[in-house]
Amino acid sequence: MNKIQMVDLKGQYTQIKDVINASIQEVMETTAFINGPKVQEFQKNLEAYLGVKHVIPCANGTDALQIAMMGLGLKPGDEVITADFTFAATVEVIALLQLTPVLVDVNEDDFNINIEAIKKAITPKTKAIVPVHLFGQCANMEAVMEIAKAHNLYVIEDNAQAIGANYTYKNGKKVKAGTIGDVGATSFFPSKNLGCYGDGGAIFTNDDDLAHTLRGIVNHGMYERYHHDVVGVNSRLDSIQAAVLDAKLPHLDTYNKARQNAAKKYNLAFKDVKNIKTPKTVRNCDDICDICDCHVFHQYTLQLKGIDRDALVKHLGEKSIPCGVYYPIPLHKQKAYSDERYNEEDFAVTNKLAKEVISLPMHTELDNEQIDYITSTIINFING
Ligand SMILES: *Cc1c(COP(=O)(O)O)cnc(C)c1O
C-alpha cells in the first residue's frame, strides 16, 4: 500500500506533469512573470468555468477577502457577521481593516453559518455578511441573500474551500459557489481543491463597477499608470502560478469527483457505526444525496460522539494514518478575537464541534486499499 498522506500533491502532479511543466516553461520563455498572458488566460478560463462576469486574480485567499471588503467601501466600525467555526483568515481581515467582526454560531449538520444566529446578530451598524462555504459545501445562500436584501447588507462569500461546488436553489437552478453574493473570494493554496504551487487567490463578481474598483485595488490603487486614485495593496497572482492553475483547471471537475468518490466510500464504511456522524449534504440538490455535486469535500470531517479524540488521533498516528482537527478552537475563544460582548451559550454548536471533529485524509489520489485501511483502523479502535 502507498503511504497515506493528508493531501497527495506529488501523486497529482505526476499524473499531469508534462502539461504543467510545459505551461510553466512557456512563462520562462516569455519572462512575463507578473501579469503575463498566462494570468489573463487563466482569468478568462476561470470566468467561463464559474459562469461569472469577472475574475480578479490576486496573491492569496486572505488578500482576496481583504480586497473584497476594501472594494465594497466598508469603513472602520462597520459590523461584519461571519461564522465562529472557520479558518482565522476570514475574521483576521475584518479586524485588520478595523471593521468590527461579529462571530455567530454554525449548524451541526453542514458546519456552515446559522441563519437564525445571523438574524439575531444584526444591528443598525451591520454592513456585511461573510458566509464561509466550509469543507466544500455552500452555506444556505438563499437565506443569506434574503436577509441581506431585507437589511441592505453586502454578501462576501468565502469560497476558499468550495471551488467547483454547485449551489442548488429551491427551484432547481444551479450556480457555482462563490458567484451568488456581491463578491466571492477564493484561495489557490496548494492543498485547496484547485491549488497552485505557491500562494494564489482570486475575487469573483458580476458587478462591472465593483470589478473595476477591485482591479485597481490589487495594483496599488492604480487605474492609470502612476495615478493612485485609492489606497490599494500589492496583491498579484504571478504568471508561474497562473500557468499551474491554467493547466489544472480543466481537471477540477475530475478532481472534485475523485474527492466525492472517496467521501462516498468513507460514508459507506461508517454507515452503521453509532458513535460517528458522517458529513451531510444539506441543500436542495437530489434529495437523498449524501454525495452530489453540491459538496466538493475540501475536507472529510467526522463528528465523534463519546469517542476519545486524542486517543484516536494517537492511534491513527501509530498506524501511519494522518488526520487533522479543523478547527480545535472556536474563533470567539481565540486571544486575538475574543470579545466581552460574546456569550458562551450563543456558540453551543461551535463549542461542541471543536471538541468532536476529526478530518480524515482527503485528496484526489486516495485508493480503495488506503480507504479500507483507514476506515477499518478507525472502526476497530472504536469497537476496542
Ligand atoms: C485557506 C483559507 C483562506 C485563506 O487563503 P490563503 O490563500 O491561505 O490566504 C481563507 N478562508 C478559508 C475558509 C480558508 O480555508
Side-chain angles (χ1 to χ4, degrees), residues 17-167:
K17 189 173 174 178
D18 293 345
V19 186
I20 298 248
N21 289 0
S23 191
I24 293 175
Q25 191 64 36
E26 257 182 73
V27 177
M28 306 305 280
E29 297 302 334
T30 59
T31 68
F33 296 120
I34 297 285
N35 244 335
K38 274 286 175 202
V39 178
Q40 277 128 50
E41 213 175 287
F42 170 64
Q43 176 193 316
K44 288 269 167 320
N45 289 334
L46 188 58
E47 283 166 355
Y49 174 84
L50 293 171
V52 73
K53 270 174 98 177
H54 305 281
V55 164
I56 298 99
C58 66
N60 58 68
T62 309
D63 277 6
L65 287 163
Q66 179 184 327
I67 293 158
M69 290 176 204
M70 291 169 75
L72 292 170
L74 300 180
K75 296 276 177 319
D78 287 351
E79 291 180 3
V80 180
I81 297 173
T82 194
D84 190 35
F85 190 64
T86 173
F87 181 57
T90 325
V91 66
E92 181 179 50
V93 298
I94 297 171
L96 196 67
L97 293 172
Q98 298 186 328
L99 314 173
T100 305
V102 178
L103 296 167
V104 301
D105 211 359
V106 298
N107 306 315
E108 196 175 329
D109 273 350
D110 66 359
F111 307 106
N112 276 327
I113 197 161
N114 182 280
I115 298 303
E116 294 311 312
I118 297 177
K119 289 182 184 162
K120 218 179 123 188
I122 289 176
T123 76
K125 287 184 177 170
T126 309
K127 286 285 151 33
I129 307 170
V130 186
V132 182
H133 303 324
L134 206 73
F135 300 154
Q137 109 174 283
C138 278
N140 185 351
M141 286 305 292
E142 232 162 336
V144 169
M145 296 309 289
E146 215 169 277
I147 298 173
K149 200 167 163 205
H151 296 270
N152 204 14
L153 310 175
Y154 292 119
V155 174
I156 302 153
E157 296 176 73
D158 182 341
N159 195 35
Q161 301 191 1
I163 194 154
N166 281 323
Y167 179 76

Side-chain angles (χ1 to χ4, degrees), residues 158-177:
D158 182 341
N159 195 35
Q161 301 191 1
I163 194 154
N166 281 323
Y167 179 76
T168 311
Y169 286 85
K170 286 195 202 91
N171 66 10
K173 183 180 151 202
K174 284 178 193 269
V175 294
K176 287 288 178 205

Side-chain angles (χ1 to χ4, degrees), residues 26 33 73 121 230 289 321-322 351 360 367 379 384:
E26 257 182 73
F33 296 120
V230 294
C289 70
I321 299 171
N351 285 341
L360 303 185
D367 63 36
I379 291 167

